[in-house]
Amino acid sequence: DQQVKQNSPSLSVQEGRISILNCDYTNSMFDYFLWYKKYPAEGPTFLISISSIKDKNEDGRFTVFLNKSAKHLSLHIVPSQPGDSAVYFCAASEIDNNAGNMLTFGGGTRLMVKP
Amino acid sequence: DAGVTQSPTHLIKTRGQQVTLRCSPKSGHDTVSWYQQALGQGPQFIFQYYEEEERQRGNFPDRFSGHQFPNYSSELNVNALLLGDSALYLCASSPRAVGREQYFGPGTRLTVT
């Protein structure tokens, strides 16, 4: 039972255009969502996050949108650059003050930005 | 400011053996989590340590165990290795009281033959 899904294994965009990466979740208890970028032979790097009390968070070229009713979030990268080529993971967590804040990851989307 | 560090970088073991992986958290972080990433998949949560205790555990057998030391560093132990344990093992740290983001180390690539 995959609670976080990234249905597009890969995405190819032209440099300068917008990249849109999508993520769906099923667990309504998730209240915090994160995007990570991963290059080969490196660990995931935190990009941007959003709390369930918001529907948009922006940081430079990166914007994350959250649609709670649809249990869907997306990451927009504008403009896309060749250095953005990597695997992007969506992750979610639910608050549990008595335990921890484990992250549940999607399977990843490989983004290729062509010069 | 050093980020999360892990050792060793690569490791090759034989079925049935035991392995210990090590992690030092980012400065100022007191919580350490371990994840397993199989090829072509997203990371899977193994467990999380805070105040030297296992606070949360994912769907992994008892062959996977861990420890956190007073300096917040952590170890992941895997006993009776199986071929299916071959994966990238990632350590992540976070400050429990502040923020929900976790910061990852470069990982240890474990190959079981």
Side-chain angles (χ1 to χ4, degrees):
Chain A
D1 174 29
Q2 257 192 305
Q3 298 187 65
V4 179
K5 289 185 181 180
Q6 296 175 252
N7 291 318
S8 299
S10 64
L11 174 68
S12 181
V13 299
Q14 207 66 36
E15 180 179 5
R17 298 290 193 104
I18 184 172
S19 294
I20 300 176
L21 297 98
N22 294 302
C23 177
D24 298 297
Y25 63 96
T26 57
N27 186 346
S28 58
M29 298 301 292
F30 288 145
D31 68 333
Y32 202 78
F33 303 89
L34 309 91
W35 284 94
Y36 286 84
K37 176 172 72 173
K38 189 178 185 301
Y39 294 118
E42 294 183 12
T45 301
F46 169 72
L47 270 178
I48 191 169
S49 60
I50 187 167
S51 164
S52 60
I53 62 173
K54 296 185 177 182
D55 55 18
K56 176 183 174 181
N57 188 27
E58 191 172 355
D59 183 1
R61 298 186 297 113
F62 302 91
T63 302
V64 56
F65 295 91
L66 176 62
N67 183 334
K68 282 189 297 183
S69 60
K71 293 191 175 69
H72 176 84
L73 63 155
S74 60
L75 174 68
H76 292 209
I77 306 174
V78 184
S80 300
Q81 301 173 353
D84 295 330
S85 298
V87 178
Y88 288 77
F89 291 99
C90 167
S93 78
E94 57 180 290
I95 191 71
D96 185 338
N97 291 322
N98 294 322
N101 61 336
M102 61 174 280
L103 297 180
T104 302
F105 282 84
T109 296
R110 180 176 301 277
L111 173 66
M112 292 164 284
V113 181
K114 298 178 180 179
Chain B
D1 178 24
V4 179
T5 60
Q6 292 186 243
S7 63
T9 305
H10 296 89
L11 204 51
I12 299 175
K13 289 286 189 178
T14 304
R15 272 181 302 176
Q17 285 188 317
Q18 178 265 343
V19 68
T20 297
L21 310 182
R22 294 176 176 82
C23 171
S24 291
K26 187 176 169 65
S27 177
H29 289 186
D30 55 7
T31 300
V32 174
S33 303
W34 287 92
Y35 293 81
Q36 179 196 67
Q37 185 179 18
L39 204 60
Q41 298 181 21
Q44 297 283 317
F45 176 75
I46 303 174
F47 41 54
Q48 185 175 86
Y49 277 84
Y50 171 68
E51 290 184 332
E52 302 179 49
E53 288 188 18
E54 183 183 292
R55 299 290 178 169
Q56 199 172 18
R57 188 178 183 91
N59 189 25
F60 279 81
D62 292 345
R63 298 187 297 108
F64 290 77
S65 63
H67 189 77
Q68 185 179 35
F69 299 94
N71 67 352
Y72 308 123
S73 67
S74 176
E75 287 182 349
L76 164 66
N77 301 293
V78 187
N79 294 323
L81 284 167
L82 303 174
L83 294 179
D85 294 332
S86 295
L88 179 67
Y89 288 85
L90 295 162
C91 172
S93 72
S94 54
R96 186 171 182 85
V98 180
R100 304 275 292 273
E101 293 82 15
Q102 295 183 18
Y103 295 85
F104 285 82
T108 294
R109 171 71 62 187
L110 172 64
T111 302
V112 182
T113 62

